[in-house]
Amino acid sequence: DGWLVCVGSGPSMPAHLEEIRAERAKGRPILAVKGAHDFLCRNGIEPDLWICVDPRDRSYLLEEANLHTTYLISSRCDPSIFDKLEGKHVLVFHSWSEDEHLPCFEGKFMIGGGSTSGMRGITVGYVLGFRNFLLYGYDSCLAEDMKTKRFTGEGVGEKGIVDVYVEGRQFWCNGAMAQQAKEFQDYYTSLERFHVEVKGDGLIAAIVAARKARGFQA
């Protein structure tokens, strides 16, 4: 029906597992971002797509690699990911960034749209023809303890924490989260007919709610 369900690894994501399962029952394709893959698979929801643009070794996030999922891998990803996915359905794309104007990319189609795999997942979905996006686990902020950054319980460390405000409400982020939230807002000016709904109570959800309250397109 024109909706792409994108599932990130924010702290709020597991609380919405049954909603995600209901989205699968509707026939909506599910795109998992990095660590969300194994969690969904272990709960009986093999994602239709998985995306990673991280140049570091993230092969440990693919213990449940399967033949249902199509793996969208940036050409800049670590070779270990390709090794892990041998025999699986893999599609390679080129990630655009200001730092990667290399001769080997001349004449190649490159996909931009943010510094994180989560943001790039939305852009890839847009290129594939989707205009409506339903986001789970796209918190882009720490949990209420101001330490936990992913549903796995992974902490953020002690340095580089910044506070971000939306309509007077305070959120705690690391630098990557704050940058992701900033980049998310660029979609409204760069993508035509872009529509998004966000589940959870994180920073990106607050940005969307604030836009709706002010009468802007969500």
Side-chain angles (χ1 to χ4, degrees):
D1 62 358
W3 284 84
L4 179 64
V5 180
C6 301
V7 183
S9 299
S12 71
M13 189 269 281
H16 297 276
L17 178 62
E18 294 310 313
E19 293 178 45
I20 298 170
R21 198 185 309 280
E23 295 300 328
R24 163 56 54 81
K26 294 177 185 177
R28 290 176 171 173
I30 295 173
L31 178 145
V33 182
K34 289 171 35 175
H37 174 277
D38 281 4
F39 177 84
L40 291 178
C41 290
R42 288 165 184 160
N43 283 279
I45 309 172
E46 292 180 340
D48 301 286
L49 302 167
W50 180 79
I51 191 165
C52 182
V53 301
D54 201 323
R56 291 169 288 186
D57 181 3
R58 295 294 186 235
S59 59
Y60 63 90
L61 300 174
L62 295 166
E63 294 305 316
E64 304 294 330
N66 60 86
L67 291 174
H68 173 83
T69 306
T70 295
Y71 296 90
L72 306 175
I73 314 299
S74 170
S75 57
R76 70 182 180 186
C77 285
D78 191 89
S80 61
I81 293 182
F82 294 91
D83 294 339
K84 188 80 171 187
L85 294 173
E86 184 177 359
K88 305 300 188 293
H89 302 303
V90 174
L91 291 177
V92 179
F93 68 96
H94 301 301
S95 297
W96 181 90
S97 78
E98 294 180 355
D99 300 326
E100 294 187 358
H101 288 312
L102 303 176
C104 61
F105 291 124
E106 289 295 327
K108 304 291 186 182
F109 179 67
M110 303 185 72
I111 297 179
S115 56
T116 66
S117 295
M119 290 296 101
R120 207 63 64 103
I122 294 174
T123 313
V124 169
Y126 191 89
V127 170
L128 291 173
F130 293 95
R131 297 296 179 266
N132 302 311
F133 298 85
L134 181 58
L135 309 184
Y136 291 94
Y138 274 64
D139 299 334
S140 207
C141 64
L142 302 176
E144 291 183 357
D145 62 5
M146 296 187 296
K147 296 179 181 179
T148 304
K149 66 178 180 178
R150 296 196 178 97
F151 74 89
T152 54
E154 182 180 350
V156 73
E158 297 182 356
K159 65 178 182 178
I161 305 301
V162 297
D163 52 344
V164 177
Y165 291 86
V166 177
E167 300 292 311
R169 183 181 173 192
Q170 186 179 31
F171 297 87
W172 293 92
C173 312
N174 64 9
M177 291 172 174
Q179 178 66 19
Q180 177 175 260
K182 178 179 181 298
E183 293 169 346
F184 171 77
Q185 296 174 82
D186 293 336
Y187 285 135
Y188 291 111
T189 57
S190 61
L191 301 181
E192 294 183 356
R193 297 186 290 116
F194 171 73
H195 175 71
V196 63
E197 292 186 10
V198 187
K199 301 295 183 176
D201 193 33
L203 174 55
I204 288 183
I207 291 170
V208 173
R211 287 184 60 87
K212 288 182 178 179
R214 291 171 177 262
F216 291 107
Q217 169 70 35

